[in-house]
Structure formats: C-alpha cells, structure tokens
Amino acid sequence: MLKKSDYFYELPEELIAQTPAEPRDSSRLLVYDRATGKSEHRIFRDIREYLKPGDVLVINNTRVLPARLYAYTKNGGRVEVLLLKRRDLSEWEVLVRPGKKAKVGAELVVSEELSLTVKDRTETGERIVEFHFDGVFEDILSRVGSMPLPPYIHEKLKDKERYQTVYSKTDGSAAAPTAGLHFTRELLEEIGAMGVQVAEVLLHVGLGTFRPVKEEDLTHHVMHSEYYCVSEAAANIVNAAKREGRRVIAVGTTSVRTLETVADENGFLRPCSGDTSIFIYPPYTFKCVDALITNFHLPESTLIMLVSAFMGREECMRLYREAVEEKYRFFSFGDAMLIV
C-alpha cells in the first residue's frame, strides 16, 4: 500500500521559484523517456524537438480570477476570502481565514461595492456565501480582488498576466494551470506550423490544488470537485488522434484529470461538462494520455502522486532528487518536465 510519506522529498527553500521566468519559454525542461529510462536537461523552447506532426497538445484554457478578497467584520476584524467555486449568480463556495470570524449568518464587507453573507458551512470547512453587489460581479472583482498566488510565493507579482497562460479564456480558477505558463504565443505558432494540433479543454482549478493530503493511507483522501468542460471540437481532435494512433500530450495535471474523467476505456472522449473529483495515484491505467508536460510539485501532494502514476513512483522520486541536485526551480513559477 502506498502511503503519503512515500512522496516526501527534501527541497531547499531557495529552489522554490518566487518569480516567473522571462521570457516564459526560457525556463528549464527535464525530458524523461519512459521507454529508455533516460533523462535530458534542456530549455523549454526545445520542446519542439520532442514533438512531431500529428501530435495533439491538450491545453486547459481556464483563466484565474482575482479570487483573493480581504473583507472586514462589523468589529473591524480582517478576513481573507478565497473564491473557490461559483454556484450561481451571487453564491460562491469560498475558503475563509480565520474561519472563526465567518460563522453562519456573519456579514462581511469587502468594499463600498461588495459585501457578503455567510450562508452555510460545508463538511470540509469551506463556507457558502452570498455576495451583495450592484453591477457586473466580474468587473467589481477586477477592482477589489487580487491574484491568489500560493502561500510559498512571497514576491509581489508585477504583472498579473504572468499568472495566466497566454491562451487563457474562461474565468473561473483559483489557481493557474501552471504547466501552461511556459508557452509563448510564438512557440505555440511554431509548434502549430510543425503539424501539431491543439485541443482546448476547460477545468477550473479549485481547492484540490491547495488542500494537503492529510491521510497517510491515500485511499482515504477525498478530492474537492472541480468544474470541467470538453467541447465537441476538442473531443473530435482527440478522438481522431486515438483512432490513428497519434499521441495525445496533456499540458498539465488539470488537462490529465479532465481527459481521464471523460475518456472511455479506449481513450475516446464525448463532449460533456460537469464536476470531477478524480484522484489519480498508482496503480492507475491511463486511458487517453500518452505524454505529459508538467511542473515540479509539492512533496506529498496529489499532483506528484498523479505524475508518479504516469511514470512509476520510484522513477518519479529519483527524477525529483535529480532535479534538486541540478537546481531546477520548483512549483508554480518553476521549471517543467516532459514525460514521453
């Protein structure tokens, strides 16, 4: 039985990337071939050398909301509110710190334009809140919200767009699908000119990204559900590739989770949308994904567990140790790995 502690590794704090690489595609790239067990150390823009005509890149076109709000109680106490999941026009599931200031019935004020009432509490401690506002919620949010950078990033982000992929379209995430941050528009154009197709799916990144695995026995961990959507156009591109034996390359763990949620046992997709709480860890048989582009993830996180399901736990942990020795940059603004 695999345990949470099987995914621990030592990481010097100075290897946690505090700022994004500039330009985006100048980050480093560790390439690992599952067939040969060999690894190479490259630059991300070199990824073109590992792609071939007919490959399909599956990207997640979600866009990060300025989802971190600071609200105040009637007594002046400050509360941090992180938007997680929209329920309807004015109702959201949120994470609140400190929770003791957000009891059911509490009223909190964000600004003259925005306030909220705590309606309910979920089994896992999040709050259901109703926002009160006049006008367009997204417009107000752009004025009063801030980007929800992870707690291990201490530097202030100078350009909000650097925590968005260049292909982000649909607002709704509480965190970026970070594997996509390495692509520039120019690199995508060059890849397209090679005959590589791009399929866009959607998964709004929510609490699953933030919530640590607390259970030592992985089978007891419960993932938070996240909204996904696979369009007919995306399903057609992926299905044609599967029929013709061409590779489907997922950009990021969010794309993997979307594809593996929707795929049948032969790897074919159907256009659909809904909520997924899929938790991928060894042993797992991948139905749709043939190769993976991903960042380096936190120790004992569900994301490193997914990667280890794709390449084997021992090889995964060995490569992470190699990346530490080679002084790769880790986590959201860090370097990337291509697993083929």
Side-chain angles (χ1 to χ4, degrees):
M1 180 191 77
L2 283 174
K3 304 186 295 293
K4 178 181 77 165
S5 53
D6 291 328
Y7 292 94
F8 179 79
Y9 65 91
E10 295 284 353
L11 182 68
E13 194 170 341
E14 63 267 20
L15 296 185
I16 300 173
Q18 295 298 310
T19 54
E22 197 58 55
R24 290 172 182 260
D25 60 0
S26 66
S27 52
R28 295 169 72 190
L29 179 70
L30 195 161
V31 182
Y32 176 74
D33 188 321
R34 292 182 292 168
T36 64
K38 291 182 178 176
S39 57
E40 297 179 74
H41 303 287
R42 305 296 296 268
I43 300 299
F44 191 82
R45 66 177 70 95
D46 298 336
I47 200 165
R48 293 167 296 190
E49 298 176 30
Y50 300 91
L51 302 176
K52 54 194 177 193
D55 284 344
V56 173
L57 277 185
V58 180
I59 61 177
N60 178 8
N61 65 16
T62 189
R63 189 167 172 81
V64 186
L65 289 164
R68 179 167 281 129
L69 300 169
Y70 293 101
Y72 295 87
T73 66
K74 289 179 178 177
N75 299 327
R78 190 164 104 145
V79 180
E80 181 184 318
V81 179
L82 181 65
L83 304 183
L84 295 175
K85 193 174 183 181
R86 191 170 204 157
R87 292 191 157 206
D88 60 28
L89 185 65
S90 59
E91 196 171 271
W92 282 77
E93 194 171 319
V94 302
L95 190 64
V96 181
R97 298 191 186 101
K100 63 185 178 184
K101 292 183 180 177
K103 294 187 169 75
V104 173
E107 295 183 5
L108 306 173
V109 176
V110 178
S111 70
E112 290 181 358
E113 297 180 277
L114 189 65
S115 63
L116 61 100
T117 303
V118 179
K119 306 282 284 185
D120 202 357
R121 178 187 172 123
T122 69
E123 289 181 6
T124 47
E126 294 80 49
R127 303 299 194 273
I128 310 301
V129 304
E130 183 177 357
F131 282 100
H132 311 291
F133 55 93
D134 289 317
V136 179
F137 182 77
E138 286 79 3
D139 291 346
I140 296 170
L141 198 61
S142 70
R143 289 191 287 274
V144 301
S146 58
M147 293 305 276
L149 291 180
Y152 49 74
I153 294 177
H154 309 298
E155 294 275 332
K156 191 169 174 62
L157 186 62
K158 293 176 182 174
D159 177 5
K160 282 185 179 181
E161 284 302 306
R162 289 302 275 108
Y163 196 54
Q164 306 278 13
T165 62
V166 297
Y167 47 76
S168 63
K169 287 181 182 174
T170 308
D171 284 335
S173 275
T178 55
L181 295 177
H182 306 283
F183 286 96
T184 63
R185 289 187 177 85
E186 294 75 18
L187 180 58
L188 284 169
E189 286 171 7
E190 291 169 17
I191 288 170
M194 292 169 51
V196 174
Q197 291 180 285
V198 174
E200 298 186 22
V201 299
L202 174 71
L203 183 132
H204 286 324
V205 188
L207 186 62
T209 297
F210 299 93
R211 175 180 283 156
V213 177
K214 293 180 179 176
E215 303 283 352
E216 181 66 6
D217 181 349
L218 302 189
T219 62
H220 294 161
H221 179 69
V222 178
M223 290 286 282
H224 194 269
S225 70
E226 296 165 315
Y227 176 80
Y228 71 87
C229 181
V230 175
S231 67
E232 186 174 359
N236 288 342
I237 291 170
V238 170
N239 291 344
K242 299 309 284 186
R243 278 193 300 271
E244 296 163 17
R246 295 183 277 117
R247 291 191 303 178
V248 174
I249 303 169
V251 179
T253 56
T254 61
S255 296
V256 173
R257 294 179 65 239
T258 305
L259 292 170
E260 294 296 316
T261 292
V262 175
D264 66 18
E265 63 267 22
N266 298 311
F268 292 105
L269 309 182
R270 57 189 169 81
C272 60
S273 62
D275 291 321
T276 181
S277 55
I278 189 172
F279 177 22
I280 297 175
Y281 60 93
Y284 179 85
T285 302
F286 286 81
K287 300 169 290 188
C288 187
V289 177
D290 302 306
L292 170 62
I293 300 166
T294 187
N295 277 22
F296 293 95
H297 305 292
L298 276 76
E300 301 183 339
S301 65
T302 61
L303 305 182
I304 193 174
M305 292 166 189
L306 183 153
V307 173
S308 82
F310 194 68
M311 65 189 304
R313 190 197 70 86
E314 290 184 6
E315 279 297 86
C316 178
M317 302 313 292
R318 181 184 69 78
L319 277 185
Y320 267 65
R321 289 192 296 271
E322 184 176 318
V324 170
E325 289 169 10
E326 295 287 335
K327 293 189 165 36
Y328 274 70
R329 301 166 80 234
F330 279 65
F331 306 162
S332 297
F333 285 144
D335 296 316
M337 185 191 300
L338 169 63
I339 310 163
V340 298

